[in-house]
Each structure stands twice: as structure tokens, then as C-alpha cells.
């Protein structure tokens, strides 16, 4: 039985992922905009509305497309695509373009735009810039700072009034957003934001037990159950997490719930919603690997999780560029899984 991950990120994979992202990052069409209009003047093209994040089919995918490229460049400074990555980022991360993005975000009808998925991915992008050794990264982070402050405040305003979590396995999933944003808050030493996220996660999930894992849904790319566990792994001390995890999924050592050990079937990758299930398999592998590493040495659940993570990864890695419906985002989740 596999006890440790065998699939690892290689320079060849990194180059493949970078090429995929560069192909869609500045590709304006096709495009799906989530856009509220208050007058005819708001009927504009994606690039007019979003001078930075106009590509990759939708705003949030463009955000994490930049995250993907910068993370790959940080891992592999000699990436063949390095010069092109720096050129694209330099051209787009400008004060003028940030002002354009901010003008959109600050319009009253756009309150809640990209909540919470896009908010979290933008802060993950900011975190990546703060942690990079690349000389230009600090300047890029400074340029994006108005947007970073905006989304920090958006979370600070929203979470105290969010009585309930959103457990669906799509963009509205709150556990995913909080997991990414907690990593950001801790990285940049934003103690107040980190505290708010920790308090919210405990309020929402500390008493959750006997998860039945009614998944996958037909368009999910996140596992509601594993994503919640991945958030709590970040929030709770190590021993307390192991106890919580045992209550949350008490039959995991017996490969139950069985659905968590079976990669989702994808019947039509041209259908963007059905194609989400490739992302589910990748994000499950990410969570399974991370959770396995949080368990005590010799814990049989760890080996099971590693084994099923490999199966989930293998089910999806060959399909990252099968259609544009997957190409514009799947490599991001492949990287999360391979780095876990």
C-alpha cells in the first residue's frame, strides 16, 4: 500500500502548466462575466471592466492563473517560460490597471462580487508575491496593495455576519476560502484577520461529527467534507485536530464513506459543469495528501489517504487541456495536489 506520495511536481510538469496558463491568461474570449449593471453605461467588454483579470474565461480563474505562474516561477526560476511570465505580469500589474479594478469593486452594485472564492484567490496571489525571492515581486505586491486591503476588509466585514457556512463543493464553499485566506493572514502577519477566520471556523465546524459525505454533486470541484477537514487542520492544534478528525469521519480507516475513496466519473469534458469533476479529483487529492500528513506516524488512515490521492491524481492529470473548459483552470488544482 502506498504510504507516501509518488507523483511529484517536476520541471517538465511545471513548464507544461506554465504554457497552459500563458495560453489563457490574456485570452479575453470566450468569457463568462458575473456582472451587475446599473445602467447602459455598464455594458462593457471584459477587458474594459477588468484591465488585469480579463482573461482565462472568468475573473477568478485569471487571478489564480497569475498565482499559478508566479508559484511555478518561484519553484523553478529557470523555467523556459520565465521571461514571458515576467513580461506578462509587468504589463498587467500597473497602478493604472489596479485603479480600474478598484473602480469596479467599489461600485455598490458589485458588493459581494466573487465572494468568497475570488476574494481568497486574490489574497493567495498577494501572499505568493510577498513570499517570492524574485526582485520584481515586492513592487508588484505594492502595486496590488489597494486590492489586497479591499479584500481583507471584505472578509472582516462579511464573516461576523455569516451565521452559517456554505458547504457546497463549488465557488461558494466557505471552507476553501477560509483555508486560503488563513494561510495569507498568517503569512503577512495580519493577526486580526487570522483571528476572525479562526473564530469563524470554530463557530461553524467545531461540533461537526459523523460526516456522511453526500458527494460528489454533479458540478462540484471541491469536496465539501475534505475541504472542511483541511480548514480545521489549519485552525486546530495538531492533537486537537486528530481528535476532531476522528469524530468527523469516524469510519475512515475502513474506507468509509466509500465515495471519498472513488474518483468521480467525468462523462463530458466539453460541458463545463460536468468537467468540474476533474477539478474535484484534483482538489480531493490535495486534501487527502495534506490530511494524511497531519495524522500520527503509522496511522492506517494515512496510508489509505495517500493511496486514494494517487488514484484521484491519475484520473485527472491527463485531462488538464482536453478542452478550454478545463484548460483555463485545472492546472492550478493539479499544482495544489502535487505540492501537498
Amino acid at each position: 500500500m502506498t504510504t507516501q506520495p509518488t507523483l511529484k511536481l517536476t520541471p517538465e510538469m511545471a513548464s507544461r502548466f506554465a504554457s497552459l496558463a500563458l495560453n489563457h491568461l490574456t485570452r479575453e474570449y470566450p468569457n463568462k462575466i458575473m456582472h451587475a449593471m446599473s445602467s447602459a453605461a455598464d455594458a462593457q467588454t471584459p477587458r474594459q471592466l477588468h484591465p488585469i483579470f480579463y482573461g482565462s474565461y472568468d475573473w477568478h480563474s485569471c487571478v489564480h492563473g497569475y498565482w499559478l505562474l508566479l508559484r511555478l516561477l518561484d519553484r523553478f526560476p529557470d523555467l523556459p517560460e520565465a521571461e514571458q511570465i515576467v513580461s506578462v505580469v509587468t504589463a498587467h500589474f500597473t497602478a493604472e490597471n489596479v485603479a480600474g479594478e478598484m473602480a469596479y469593486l467599489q461600485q455598490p452594485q458589485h458588493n459581494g462580487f466573487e465572494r468568497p472564492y475570488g476574494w481568497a484567490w486574490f489574497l493567495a496571489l498577494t501572499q505568493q508575491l510577498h513570499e517570492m525571492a524574485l526582485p520584481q515581486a515586492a513592487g508588484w505586491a505594492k502595486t496590488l496593495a489597494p486590492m489586497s486591503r479591499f479584500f481583507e476588509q471584505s472578509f472582516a466585514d462579511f464573516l461576523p455576519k455569516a451565521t452559517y457556512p456554505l458547504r457546497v463543493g463549488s465557488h461558494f464553499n466557505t471552507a476553501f476560502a477560509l483555508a486560503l485566506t488563513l494561510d495569507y493572514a498568517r503569512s503577512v502577519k495580519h493577526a486580526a484577520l487570522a483571528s476572525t477566520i479562526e473564530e469563524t471556523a470554530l463557530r461553524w465546524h467545531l461540533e461537526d461529527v459523523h460526516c456522511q459525505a453526500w458527494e460528489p454533486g454533479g458540478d462540484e470541484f471541491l469536496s465539501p467534507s475534505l475541504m472542511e477537514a483541511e480548514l480545521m487542520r489549519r485552525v486546530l492544534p495538531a492533537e486537537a485536530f486528530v481528535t476532531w478528525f476522528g469524530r468527523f469521519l469516524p469510519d475512515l480507516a475502513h474506507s468509509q464513506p466509500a465515495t471519498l475513496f472513488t474518483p468521480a466519473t467525468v462523462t463530458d469534458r466539453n460541458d463545463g459543469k460536468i468537467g468540474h469533476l476533474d477539478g474535484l479529483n484534483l482538489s480531493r487529492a490535495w486534501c487527502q495528501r495534506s490530511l494524511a500528513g497531519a495524522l500520527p506516524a503509522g496511522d492506517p488512515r494515512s496510508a489509505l489517504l495517500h493511496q486514494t490521492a494517487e488514484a484521484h491524481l491519475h484520473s485527472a492529470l491527463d485531462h488538464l487541456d482536453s478542452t478550454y473548459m478545463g484548460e483555463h483552470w485545472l492546472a492550478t488544482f493539479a499544482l495544489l495536489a502535487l505540492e501537498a
Side-chain angles (χ1 to χ4, degrees):
M1 181 177 288
T2 302
T3 57
Q4 292 294 330
T6 57
L7 277 170
K8 297 284 190 179
L9 181 67
T10 65
E12 293 75 21
M13 284 183 182
S15 181
R16 178 192 174 204
F17 294 175
S19 294
L20 288 174
L22 287 166
N23 183 53
H24 62 71
L25 203 65
T26 58
R27 180 175 171 178
E28 188 172 3
Y29 299 104
N31 202 299
K32 181 180 181 181
I33 56 175
M34 300 293 290
H35 177 50
M37 298 190 294
S38 60
S39 73
D42 292 327
Q44 299 182 59
T45 66
R47 188 161 191 170
Q48 289 171 324
L49 296 169
H50 303 294
I52 302 177
F53 304 112
Y54 59 85
S56 307
Y57 190 67
D58 49 44
W59 192 91
H60 50 257
S61 297
C62 197
V63 171
H64 65 67
Y66 278 103
W67 173 89
L68 172 70
L69 287 175
L70 291 164
R71 192 164 187 86
L72 292 171
L73 182 58
D74 198 36
R75 287 286 307 276
F76 301 98
D78 296 326
L79 205 63
E81 297 78 11
E83 184 176 347
Q84 188 178 356
I85 292 170
V86 172
S87 176
V88 168
V89 176
T90 299
H92 287 78
F93 288 14
T94 67
E96 181 182 4
N97 285 346
V98 167
E101 294 280 353
M102 285 296 297
Y104 185 91
L105 294 171
Q106 292 173 322
Q107 292 177 41
Q109 71 268 28
H110 300 144
N111 181 39
F113 172 75
E114 288 285 352
R115 185 178 78 192
Y117 185 77
W119 296 5
W121 268 121
F122 186 86
L123 294 177
L125 169 60
T126 303
Q127 177 184 349
Q128 181 59 45
L129 290 172
H130 279 288
E131 294 178 351
M132 290 183 74
L134 187 74
Q136 298 96 317
W140 292 333
K142 184 177 180 179
T143 299
L144 295 184
M147 295 181 70
S148 304
R149 301 293 88 77
F150 179 87
F151 288 120
E152 290 172 359
Q153 191 60 49
S154 296
F155 272 113
D157 292 341
F158 170 66
L159 292 178
K161 63 184 179 184
T163 306
Y164 311 106
L166 286 164
R167 301 176 186 271
V168 295
S170 60
H171 305 90
F172 306 104
N173 183 283
T174 44
F176 176 85
L178 264 59
L180 261 61
T181 306
L182 182 57
D183 286 352
Y184 163 81
R186 288 172 173 170
S187 175
V188 302
K189 297 180 171 50
H190 193 320
L193 180 59
S195 179
T196 296
I197 292 168
E198 291 161 359
E199 291 167 3
T200 302
L202 293 172
R203 171 167 57 88
W204 284 345
H205 300 305
L206 184 61
E207 303 304 322
D208 287 356
V209 296
H210 295 285
C211 177
Q212 298 184 55
W214 285 327
E215 56 180 87
D219 70 347
E220 292 185 330
F221 63 92
L222 297 167
S223 164
S225 55
L226 295 178
M227 200 63 247
E228 177 179 333
E230 207 17 36
L231 170 62
M232 296 304 282
R233 180 185 68 80
R234 288 164 165 77
V235 171
L236 292 170
E239 289 187 12
F241 170 72
V242 173
T243 299
W244 178 91
F245 193 50
R247 296 197 308 263
F248 184 62
L249 289 168
D251 298 316
L252 202 66
H254 303 291
S255 301
Q256 296 294 327
T259 184
L260 296 182
F261 294 86
T262 306
T265 299
V266 187
T267 58
D268 183 1
R269 291 183 170 85
N270 289 301
D271 185 307
K273 293 295 188 180
I274 295 174
H276 271 180
L277 295 168
D278 275 323
L280 174 67
N281 290 333
L282 293 168
S283 66
R284 275 186 175 180
W286 166 48
C287 293
Q288 288 157 347
R289 283 181 161 191
S290 296
L291 294 166
L295 297 173
D299 190 314
R301 295 173 296 176
S302 180
L304 281 169
L305 288 168
H306 276 305
Q307 182 183 50
T308 195
E310 296 291 299
H312 278 77
L313 262 173
H314 279 291
S315 76
L317 276 180
D318 289 339
H319 303 292
L320 303 185
D321 56 354
S322 294
T323 74
Y324 193 62
M325 288 297 94
E327 181 184 330
H328 77 272
W329 69 282
L330 283 174
T332 293
F333 284 83
L335 180 60
L336 287 172
L338 289 164
E339 286 196 321

